[in-house]
Amino acid sequence: MTNWFDGSLPEPSALTGFAQNRLVRDAENRDGHSLESAIAHPKASFHLFAGGKALVRKDEAPTATFNAREALQFEPNMAGAVLLGHDETGPRLAVPVALDGDPLEPYRLYDLRSVLYSSAVQDEEAGAIAQAASMLHWHATNRFCGKCAASTAATNGGYRRDCAACGSQTFPRTDPVVIMLGIHGDKCLLGRSPHFPPGWYSTLAGFVEPGETIEDAVRRETFEESGIRLGKVRYHASQPWPFPHSLMIGCFGEALSETIHFDGTELEDCRWFDRHELDLMFEDRHPEGFKCPPGKAIAHALIRAWAKQP
C-alpha cells in the first residue's frame, strides 16, 4: 500500500520566510474574554508595531518580543491588541504603540521586508510578526461595517469584528496568490517587472479569482503575462505573505511551447533560463548581471528546487 507521506523533511513550505511561526493559535477556544485574559497574564509577551513596522531591540540578544514592563514604555494601545496565540511561557499579542519617528538605541523599527531578508530577528519571531502585521492591518481597514457603515468592535481575541447596529460579523481575510515556475524541457520561465531591483528576474504570479481553481489560476496568469500556455500543474509549497494579507501558493507548470508573447503591461521582459544560468545567478556571477530573488522568498524556493533537482 502506498504511503502518501513518504519523503524528506522538512516540507518545502517550512523553508520559506515567515513560515516558522510556532505559536499555538487555539482558535476554537477564542471568545469574548480571550484578549482581556491574555493581557492580564503575568507571562504575556508582545510584538509592538508603529506605522506598520515592527519594533526590534538590537543588542547582544536581539528580539522583537517584549514583556509587559518593556512594552509599557512605548505607550501600547491595548484596546487595539490582537491575541496571536501562546508559546511555552504564555500568551503572545500584537499591539500598536505610540512612536513618533525612530526610537532611541538599542531599539529600531523594521519594515516587513527587512524582517524577512535580514537577520534582525529569529525565524520563529518573523513568522509571528507576519501574523501580527496582517491582523493589525485588517483591524485598521475594517473599523466600519461594510453593510451599514456603523462602527465595528473587535472580539474573540481580535479575530472578529461585530457591528452592533446591524449585527453583521466580519472575519480576517487571506488573499490566495499563485506564484509559478513554468518549465519546458531543461529551461524555466522567468520575468522581470519594472519595479524589480536591477537585474532581478523572478517567477510569475497573480491573484486567484473567484470561482477559479489554483491550477486554472496558474495557467491563466502565465498565459496573460507571457503568452505561454501550461498543461499539467503541480503544487510545491506555500508562504505567508503579509503585504498585507496574502498566501503565496507555489506551483510548477508544464509549458506546452517556448514561444513567448508579452505586451509590456505587467512585465518589461520575459525569457527562458537554463540550469547553468540559474547557477550563475545563485552565485551572483551571471555575465549579464541577472539575479534571482532572495533566499527566503518562495520564488527563490521554486527556482532552486527545480534547478537543483537530480
Side-chain angles (χ1 to χ4, degrees):
M1 183 176 179
T2 300
N3 183 348
W4 293 104
F5 301 101
D6 281 346
S8 60
L9 293 176
E11 63 191 20
S13 296
L15 302 178
T16 63
F18 294 135
Q20 297 294 325
N21 189 352
R22 296 293 176 260
L23 294 178
V24 178
R25 299 186 183 224
D26 200 22
E28 68 275 16
N29 291 319
R30 295 187 196 121
D31 59 28
H33 304 289
S34 296
L35 183 61
E36 181 182 17
S37 298
I39 292 173
H41 194 285
K43 293 295 183 69
S45 59
F46 303 86
H47 291 301
L48 309 180
F49 286 80
K53 296 182 178 181
L55 187 70
V56 177
R57 189 184 70 226
K58 295 288 292 181
D59 53 18
E60 57 276 3
T63 185
T65 307
F66 302 93
N67 61 35
R69 179 182 55 79
E70 294 171 317
L72 283 174
Q73 65 181 305
F74 296 102
E75 301 180 38
N77 175 19
M78 291 301 181
V82 175
L83 175 59
L84 303 177
H86 297 76
D87 60 16
E88 62 278 3
T89 60
R92 183 95 57 89
L93 301 99
V95 188
V97 298
L99 267 178
D100 186 14
D102 292 327
L104 297 175
E105 294 290 344
Y107 300 98
R108 181 179 169 186
L109 290 172
Y110 280 79
D111 62 47
L112 295 179
R113 293 186 189 276
S114 297
V115 168
L116 176 62
Y117 296 131
S118 72
S119 57
V121 300
Q122 298 296 315
D123 288 343
E124 291 187 13
E125 279 191 315
I129 287 170
Q131 177 191 359
S134 290
M135 289 299 302
L136 292 178
H137 179 273
W138 177 74
H139 281 283
T141 55
N142 286 272
R143 294 183 298 114
F144 300 96
C145 178
K147 291 184 177 180
C148 72
S151 296
T152 60
T155 186
N156 279 27
Y159 276 78
R160 196 179 83 207
R161 294 190 71 91
D162 292 351
C163 176
C166 72
S168 67
Q169 298 177 336
T170 307
F171 297 87
R173 59 180 290 178
T174 297
D175 296 329
V177 178
V178 289
I179 181 166
M180 51 276 177
L181 186 68
I183 299 165
H184 192 269
D186 63 351
K187 297 178 182 178
C188 70
L189 184 69
L190 301 179
R192 174 169 173 76
S193 173
H195 68 267
F196 283 175
W200 190 355
Y201 280 76
S202 187
T203 50
L204 308 186
F207 286 97
V208 179
E209 295 192 348
E212 189 173 44
T213 66
I214 291 170
E215 292 84 357
D216 283 344
V218 167
R219 296 183 185 102
R220 175 183 55 79
E221 284 288 347
T222 300
F223 180 74
E224 289 177 354
E225 295 189 16
S226 68
I228 296 293
R229 293 195 180 277
L230 299 180
K232 296 177 182 178
V233 173
R234 192 188 87 192
Y235 169 79
H236 178 66
S238 62
Q239 179 179 30
W241 198 244
F243 301 100
H245 37 58
S246 297
L247 176 67
M248 308 297 285
I249 304 168
C251 297
F252 296 111
E254 174 194 33
L256 302 180
S257 74
E258 289 189 10
T259 305
I260 296 172
H261 295 287
F262 67 96
D263 59 11
T265 302
E266 296 188 51
L267 300 177
E268 66 177 28
D269 193 22
C270 188
R271 53 162 289 180
W272 296 96
F273 290 81
D274 60 31
R275 286 187 171 88
H276 175 64
E277 285 186 283
L278 295 178
D279 284 339
L280 294 175
M281 293 163 73
F282 293 144
E283 299 169 4
D284 201 17
R285 295 192 299 111
H286 196 285
E288 296 181 65
F290 296 155
K291 304 176 187 296
C292 283
K296 292 186 178 181
I298 192 171
H300 183 102
L302 284 166
I303 296 167
R304 181 172 288 275
W306 177 77
K308 299 299 184 180
Q309 72 178 10

